[in-house]
Amino acid sequence: MKSQTCIVSLALLLVTIAPQGAFAMNNKLRAWLKEMAPQERMLQLCNMEVMGKLDADRLVDYTFADPQISDTKVNAQGAAYRRNGHWYKLSYSCNTSKDQMEVLKLTYKKGNEIPKGDWTQYNLFN
């Protein structure tokens, strides 16, 4: 993971999400998550939740800054997500249950589109 400074100014929109999940967790997904170390499990769970809320097909939680992770919280202030072939800046905060298997609270800020000319610099792809 690497930290870089964004040169694009952003108009951010704050959106608070209710605790209900954006995706239904089936048994296969639950088993896959349980095999992970707790912090990785929480990061993947939060990333999937945000992707579902944004209808994104890809999310990189460390594009502009490494995520901050505690026992039950992820703060990813330098993330990016891809939707319909375009990349956008994103920051989110996600609280999970103690077993990191359920998102309890999710807040995110969507940012401006990342110019295609900057994708290589941030290891983004189409």
Side-chain angles (χ1 to χ4, degrees):
M1 293 186 223
K2 60 184 179 177
S3 176
Q4 298 179 347
T5 304
C6 177
I7 57 175
V8 178
S9 64
L10 299 175
L12 296 174
L13 169 67
L14 179 64
V15 181
T16 302
I17 304 301
Q20 293 77 24
F23 65 95
M25 191 180 320
N26 64 32
N27 290 336
K28 226 179 215 186
L29 178 58
R30 187 173 291 281
W32 176 71
L33 286 169
K34 283 186 176 182
E35 291 177 9
M36 296 178 181
Q39 287 190 341
E40 180 64 22
R41 175 173 52 240
M42 183 171 46
L43 194 57
Q44 293 299 325
L45 178 69
C46 291
N47 286 349
M48 288 185 294
E49 186 76 12
V50 174
M51 287 177 65
K53 298 290 184 185
L54 296 172
D55 194 27
D57 63 358
R58 202 75 187 145
L59 187 145
V60 181
D61 54 49
Y62 55 86
T63 303
F64 300 100
D66 291 341
Q68 302 300 308
I69 304 169
S70 65
D71 290 340
T72 59
K73 186 171 186 172
V74 174
N75 278 311
Q77 300 304 308
Y81 71 97
R82 186 178 69 187
R83 181 175 181 202
N84 297 326
H86 300 268
W87 284 95
Y88 301 89
K89 287 271 301 183
L90 171 71
S91 63
Y92 76 82
S93 179
C94 176
N95 293 82
T96 68
S97 57
K98 287 186 179 189
D99 65 356
Q100 297 91 16
M101 293 297 292
E102 180 183 358
V103 172
L104 303 177
K105 181 179 178 186
L106 174 66
T107 303
Y108 63 90
K109 294 178 184 180
K110 299 188 297 184
N112 287 343
E113 184 172 352
I114 301 167
K116 192 168 188 171
D118 293 347
W119 291 5
T120 302
Q121 175 183 353
Y122 298 115
N123 297 313
L124 304 173
F125 55 90
N126 196 11

